[in-house]
């Protein structure tokens, strides 16, 4: 029983780290641009495919698929931001939040169908980063999962360092609080909008590349993690990177423990996502702003 | 370093026309001069375009027509985030501090334009702490958790990090208790004595007239009258009556 519990706990941590990476990207975009990016799941999906084709077509080593996916997702996000999101910065645009939702929702549908058209509906499986499994007693975990969790933790640590220990992170935080105040101290907010959207995309791309060898790739693979990421961002407090990390781990753990101990195992997986939403509802009843949420969050 | 005009004019604006919506102008030909070592005060009833004037001067709002000149260069097309490079800073009515960052981080952000010159940034930060000791005591505190008066001090300290020649200040004592408001007016007067060119927009007529060298009175986006402080201090009630009833 203890081995089973530990196995579920470790698997929960792995998926929790992946959730945290996706949600951290989503929350950065929200905190700076003040929009909910509905295309985030599709950028995650694209990251998986970019990694796959970087390995399969260019012959890169499996590990290099991750930086390739991050770079391409960063560039793709910049393209989306430059072509569709610049009206958000204009004082002439009314209801910016609504505009952001509609624009990114459109991009999400476009990307998913493009993937279906270009890559087909059959699942693709990139090669393992690290083949084999970790077996300790009755605890069983593939090395790909261990690697994904380790790399995810490294990415999150780098992100926290960037956000809280570098002048660029400090400026990004300032732009998120007030574009007008940032301009007063000489910060060009537009550059930071670009950086935030690109950075969020790169994180989603990294997560897509990391889960490829674990779950396979498909055009609709971004739908479920995207929904979970929204719940995680709200749970952690909208706009908070540490909140997204903690909530991601929590949701990953809760989800796995729920599946492990649900009385009817044949239905457990079906209800897993609903269970994380129950956790979200309970937390919001006690803390309406989530763990580390800020009260004011609207585009100026 | 920018060199000012020989008459002491650091910033001049002529015939500014501007508004937030096409066809509806808030400023209708407003002109001002901001002089080195002087506090120039803009007074007028609510909604007359005083704050809009500062927003236009700082590049937050593009004028429909008119000219803004500093040291012979037009500032009309200069974006707000580059105004600091031209020696102009702006303190809006709502304190522009970053409430979720520490006092220290707020001051550090004030050095953004010259952040690579660490020696200068450290020197200016030390000068800010010397001028506002409360900020040194609270340097690790989140700025948004300080009192309104302390937040204003932080805003002034941060604005001074770039050693601006021109300061555009909008209602610095709004929602501030009278004792602290008096300190803020004294601070502004001191900055002018140090050579700063200050354009002050205020609803607190007596407070502003107490430190102003020159007064502009606005009404419906235009200049109703202007002159040295003495012209207005004798009869403040009459001044208010004039701007309320003049059409």
């Amino acid at each position: 029983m203890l081995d089973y519990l530990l196995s579920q706990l470790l698997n929960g941590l792995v998926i929790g780290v992946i959730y945290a990476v996706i949600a951290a990207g989503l929350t950065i975009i929200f905190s700076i641009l003040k929009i909910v990016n509905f295309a985030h799941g599709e950028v995650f999906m694209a990251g998986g495919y970019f990694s796959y084709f970087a390995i399969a077509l260019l012959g890169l080593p499996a590990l290099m698929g991750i930086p390739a996916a991050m770079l391409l997702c960063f560039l793709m996000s910049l393209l989306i931001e430059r072509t569709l999101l610049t009206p958000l910065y204009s004082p002439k645009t009314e209801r910016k939040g609504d505009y952001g939702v509609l624009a990114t929702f459109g991009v999400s549908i476009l990307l998913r169908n493009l993937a279906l058209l270009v890559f087909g509906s059959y699942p693709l499986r990139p090669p393992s980063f690290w083949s084999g499994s970790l077996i300790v007693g009755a605890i069983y975990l593939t090395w790909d999962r261990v690697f994904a969790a380790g790399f995810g933790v490294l990415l999150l640590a780098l992100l926290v360092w960037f956000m809280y220990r570098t002048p660029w992170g400090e400026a990004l935080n300032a732009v998120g609080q007030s574009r007008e105040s940032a301009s007063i101290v000489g910060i060009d907010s537009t550059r930071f909008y670009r950086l935030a959207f690109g950075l969020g995309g790169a994180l989603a791309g990294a997560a897509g590349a990391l889960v490829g060898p674990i779950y396979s790739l498909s055009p609709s693979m971004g739908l479920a993690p995207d929904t979970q990421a929204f719940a995680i961002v709200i749970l952690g407090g909208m706009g908070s990177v540490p909140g997204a990390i903690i909530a991601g781990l929590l949701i990953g753990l809760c989800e796995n423990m729920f599946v492990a101990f649900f009385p009817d195992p044949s239905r457990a997986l079906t209800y897993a996502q609903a269970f994380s939403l129950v956790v979200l509802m309970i937390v919001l009843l006690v803390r309406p702003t989530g763990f580390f949420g800020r009260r004011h969050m609207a585009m100026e | 370093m920018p060199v000012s005009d020989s008459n002491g004019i650091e910033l001049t604006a002529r015939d500014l026309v501007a508004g937030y919506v096409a066809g509806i102008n808030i400023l209708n030909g407003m002109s001002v001069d901001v002089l080195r070592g002087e506090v120039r005060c803009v007074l007028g009833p609510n909604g007359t375009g005083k704050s809009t004037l500062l927003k236009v001067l700082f590049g937050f709002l593009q004028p429909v027509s008119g000219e803004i000149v500093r040291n012979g260069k037009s500032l009309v097309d200069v974006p707000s985030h580059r105004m600091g490079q031209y020696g102009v800073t702006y303190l809006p009515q709502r304190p522009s501090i970053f409430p979720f960052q520490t006092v220290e981080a707020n001051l550090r952000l004030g050095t953004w334009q010259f952040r690579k010159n660490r020696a200068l940034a450290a020197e200016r930060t030390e000068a800010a702490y010397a001028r506002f000791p409360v900020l040194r005591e609270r340097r690790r505190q989140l700025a948004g958790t300080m009192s309104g008066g302390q937040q204003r001090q932080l805003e002034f300290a941060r604005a001074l990090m770039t050693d601006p020649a021109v300061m555009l200040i909008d209602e610095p004592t709004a929602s501030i208790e009278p004792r602290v408001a008096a300190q803020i007016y004294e601070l502004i007067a001191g900055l002018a004595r140090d050579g700063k060119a200050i354009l002050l927009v205020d609803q607190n007529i007596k407070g502003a007239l107490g430190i102003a060298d020159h007064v502009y009175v606005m009404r419906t986006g235009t200049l109703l009258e202007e002159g040295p402080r003495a012209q207005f201090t004798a009869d403040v009630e009459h001044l208010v009556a004039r701007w309320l009833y003049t059409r």
Side-chain angles (χ1 to χ4, degrees):
Chain A
M1 181 65 185
L2 186 66
D3 289 338
Y4 178 63
L5 184 74
L6 271 175
S7 276
Q8 292 302 322
L9 211 64
L10 288 173
N11 273 307
L13 275 176
V14 172
I15 195 68
V17 170
I18 298 295
Y19 280 162
V21 174
I22 303 171
L26 192 63
T27 212
I28 286 172
I29 293 169
F30 177 79
S31 70
I32 308 301
L33 284 93
K34 308 289 184 289
I35 58 159
V36 180
N37 179 17
F38 274 89
H40 200 64
E42 278 59 46
V43 179
F44 161 79
M45 172 268 294
Y49 280 106
F50 286 149
S51 170
Y52 177 87
F53 285 107
I55 298 163
L57 295 182
L58 302 178
L60 293 179
L63 266 178
M64 291 306 291
I66 306 169
M70 289 180 77
L71 177 67
L72 290 169
C73 284
F74 182 86
L75 294 175
M76 187 173 84
S77 297
L78 285 193
L79 185 69
I80 295 170
E81 189 268 345
R82 287 288 84 195
T83 50
L84 285 168
L85 299 184
T86 46
L88 285 173
Y89 321 143
S90 165
K92 289 175 184 162
T93 306
E94 291 176 11
R95 301 171 68 180
K96 291 176 179 174
D98 296 352
Y99 175 85
V101 166
L102 287 174
T104 58
F105 195 67
V107 172
S108 130
I109 295 169
L110 175 76
L111 288 179
R112 207 176 321 132
N113 285 285
L114 259 180
L116 200 61
L117 209 68
V118 177
F119 309 131
S121 57
Y122 299 106
L124 293 176
R125 199 177 193 101
S128 278
F129 296 116
W130 192 353
S131 53
S133 299
L134 168 72
I135 303 167
V136 181
I139 300 171
Y140 174 91
L141 204 63
T142 63
W143 281 115
D144 268 338
R145 284 176 183 257
V146 177
F147 177 80
F151 200 92
V153 168
L154 178 71
L155 277 180
L156 293 172
L158 280 173
L159 178 67
V160 170
W161 170 79
F162 173 77
M163 291 297 290
Y164 297 101
R165 289 281 179 270
T166 67
W168 283 76
E170 206 160 61
L172 204 58
N173 195 347
V175 173
Q177 289 173 71
S178 167
R179 187 164 56 132
E180 185 181 281
S181 302
S183 290
I184 290 170
V185 297
I187 296 169
D188 180 0
S189 304
T190 313
R191 290 174 71 188
F192 284 88
Y193 290 146
R194 237 173 284 166
L195 173 68
F197 206 74
L199 184 62
L203 286 167
L210 286 172
V211 301
I214 304 172
Y215 296 112
S216 300
L217 308 172
S218 71
S220 58
M221 67 185 269
L223 286 173
D226 203 23
T227 316
Q228 293 300 74
F230 287 135
I232 290 162
V233 166
I234 296 166
L235 185 63
M238 295 186 81
S240 165
V241 172
I245 295 172
I246 292 169
L249 290 172
L250 182 73
I251 290 288
L253 277 174
C254 286
E255 213 178 88
N256 252 54
M257 298 314 273
F258 170 80
V259 172
F261 293 102
F262 193 70
D264 180 357
S266 64
R267 292 183 184 175
L269 268 177
T270 321
Y271 296 142
Q273 262 190 300
F275 182 71
S276 54
L277 294 177
V278 172
V279 174
L280 173 68
M281 282 191 279
I282 293 168
V283 172
L284 290 188
L285 280 174
V286 185
R287 280 187 72 87
T289 54
F291 293 145
F292 304 105
R294 294 170 179 175
R295 284 179 195 281
H296 72 285
M297 273 290 171
M299 188 65 140
E300 287 166 347
Chain B
M1 220 35 201
V3 181
S4 64
D5 186 276
S6 55
N7 299 323
I9 296 178
E10 294 283 358
L11 185 79
T12 190
R14 286 286 166 268
D15 307 318
L16 288 178
V17 175
Y20 300 95
V21 179
I24 303 173
N25 293 324
I26 307 295
L27 296 183
N28 293 295
M30 183 65 191
S31 300
V32 286
D33 291 317
V34 193
L35 270 69
R36 186 176 60 244
E38 277 195 6
V39 177
R40 296 206 148 200
C41 176
V42 183
L43 301 175
N46 266 336
T48 200
K50 303 186 299 295
S51 295
T52 303
L53 171 67
L54 295 195
K55 283 183 180 170
V56 171
L57 292 177
F58 196 70
F60 277 130
L61 188 63
Q62 193 77 6
V64 175
S65 63
E67 197 50 78
I68 304 164
V69 178
R70 172 157 162 70
N71 299 324
K73 182 175 181 343
S74 170
L75 298 187
V76 166
D77 293 321
V78 174
S80 52
H81 68 269
R82 289 188 59 214
M83 280 293 180
Q85 293 167 15
Y86 290 88
V88 183
T89 194
Y90 169 51
L91 289 87
Q93 187 179 341
R94 194 185 64 181
S96 64
I97 56 152
F98 302 107
F100 297 106
Q101 279 165 298
T102 62
V103 168
E104 207 169 37
N106 268 271
L107 290 178
R108 206 162 35 239
L109 284 162
T111 68
W112 180 256
Q113 291 168 53
F114 56 96
R115 63 191 178 282
K116 286 173 186 162
N117 187 346
R118 291 187 180 186
L120 182 62
E123 182 191 311
R124 296 264 170 91
T125 307
E126 198 44 50
Y129 285 144
R131 186 169 214 153
F132 304 99
V134 69
L135 300 181
R136 189 196 297 276
E137 289 164 26
R138 295 174 182 267
R139 64 185 184 279
R140 301 214 191 284
Q141 187 175 332
L142 289 184
T145 61
M146 297 199 299
S147 71
Q150 288 165 347
Q151 289 185 23
R152 271 292 182 203
Q153 287 190 37
L154 173 59
E155 196 183 22
F156 272 98
R158 199 190 61 196
L160 291 170
M161 297 298 263
T162 54
D163 192 20
V166 180
M167 299 182 80
L168 310 172
I169 306 174
D170 195 354
E171 297 206 29
T173 58
S175 316
I176 303 259
E177 62 165 302
R179 187 178 53 81
V180 181
Q183 290 171 2
I184 290 173
Y185 283 123
E186 183 44 44
L187 170 66
I188 295 170
L191 289 171
R193 283 195 295 274
D194 290 346
K196 304 288 182 206
I198 293 170
L199 186 64
L200 173 69
V201 158
D202 217 331
Q203 293 276 13
N204 182 346
I205 303 166
K206 286 186 177 168
L209 286 179
I211 58 166
D213 296 289
H214 190 93
V215 177
Y216 294 100
V217 178
M218 276 182 82
R219 188 173 162 81
T220 56
T222 52
L223 190 62
L224 184 66
E225 58 184 317
E226 69 168 301
R229 172 176 54 169
Q231 189 177 319
F232 299 92
T233 44
D235 191 356
V236 174
E237 280 74 19
H238 189 211
L239 168 69
V240 174
R242 273 210 305 278
W243 81 42
L244 283 177
Y245 300 114
T246 307
R247 289 184 186 274

